[in-house]
Amino acid sequence: MEGAIAVNPRALVDFTGDAAFHRLRTSGRRREAIARAAGFTGGATPSVVDATAGLGRDAFVLAALGSQVTLIERSPAMHAELDAALTRALGDPEVAAVAARMTLMHGDSRTILAGLHADVVLVDPMHPPRRKSALVKQEMRITRELVGDDPDALETLRAAIACARKRVVLKWPAREDLPLGWPRPSHAIPGKVVRFDVFMISPGAASVSAP
Ligand SMILES: C[S@@+](CC[C@H](N)C(=O)[O-])C[C@H]1O[C@@H](n2cnc3c(N)ncnc32)[C@H](O)[C@@H]1O
């Protein structure tokens, strides 16, 4: 949860710079792990709620694939960053169409999700620090200083499972097991650094189908 803000997060969130264009070129494809996890198969374009918006990168990739994406962020500072980045993106012809598919909300997903409907809910809580390149390390450090940890991630996951019509996608460190007592995913899409645990929702019931 949010701690003392000891950094200037200006330009931490950006949908218009080189990094965003690079992300569009390399990640914005339906065969990428996050797209497969979210069910972009056979031409399907699910609606998405990103329950843990953060830097908005995953939401941006899914919106670039054509989804309407609702982003929820509870940190006021991070929400303000996202809001400013979206305003900039709406004024940039290269990404305005993508930004127009992104709707930002401020608040806690644990309560907001109860009033939303979406095919897919994405949950990507702050994870324990891990060794990485200096750049990622610094970015993660700044983000962590800004928003703190997410010790209530299980509650967010449960709210996501109660909300999603089709599936919940939980982004998690590749080599870490889910904590004991957490719901078990139906399947997982592995990756080098992160994996996507997928919880398929049984039709007509806000419950997770059997693995
Ligand atoms: C690891 S970051 C997400 C990064 C994001 N997937 C991206 O692509 O940039 C986690 C973010 O989710 C937010 N968050 C965590 N739990 C939340 C909740 N229950 N409701 C709203 N925001 C939440 C945190 O404040 C933090 O900004």
Side-chain angles (χ1 to χ4, degrees), residues 152-175:
D152 50 6
L154 174 56
E155 289 173 41
T156 306
L157 176 64
R158 288 208 169 110
I161 288 170
C163 168
R165 276 193 292 254
K166 294 183 177 166
R167 60 178 73 195
V168 171
V169 177
L170 174 67
K171 194 171 170 182
W172 201 254
R175 289 179 197 82

Side-chain angles (χ1 to χ4, degrees), residues 62-202:
L62 296 174
L65 289 170
S67 281
Q68 296 291 332
V69 183
T70 300
L71 299 81
I72 308 174
E73 175 55 54
R74 66 183 169 192
S75 157
M78 190 63 91
H79 176 269
E81 276 290 304
L82 283 163
D83 196 35
L86 275 175
T87 301
R88 287 195 301 273
L90 284 167
D92 182 334
E94 298 255 32
V95 289
V98 176
R101 288 194 285 274
M102 298 165 72
T103 304
L104 178 62
M105 298 181 74
H106 183 216
D108 198 310
S109 295
R110 291 174 298 164
T111 48
I112 289 181
L113 281 171
L116 297 180
H117 300 283
D119 296 325
V120 178
V121 180
L122 174 65
V123 179
D124 175 22
M126 292 297 293
H127 302 297
R130 56 178 189 264
R131 285 187 297 281
K132 254 293 175 184
S133 73
L135 181 65
V136 173
K137 235 177 170 174
Q138 187 192 12
E139 195 173 69
M140 282 310 298
R141 183 180 56 75
I142 293 171
T143 303
R144 188 171 296 280
E145 284 189 44
L146 196 63
V147 303
D149 292 323
D150 292 327
D152 50 6
L154 174 56
E155 289 173 41
T156 306
L157 176 64
R158 288 208 169 110
I161 288 170
C163 168
R165 276 193 292 254
K166 294 183 177 166
R167 60 178 73 195
V168 171
V169 177
L170 174 67
K171 194 171 170 182
W172 201 254
R175 289 179 197 82
E176 276 184 37
D177 292 335
L178 292 184
L180 283 176
W182 284 41
R184 295 292 107 189
S186 314
H187 63 279
I189 310 283
K192 275 187 198 153
V193 180
V194 298
R195 69 166 192 274
F196 296 96
D197 285 343
V198 182
F199 302 79
M200 300 301 293
I201 305 299
S202 303

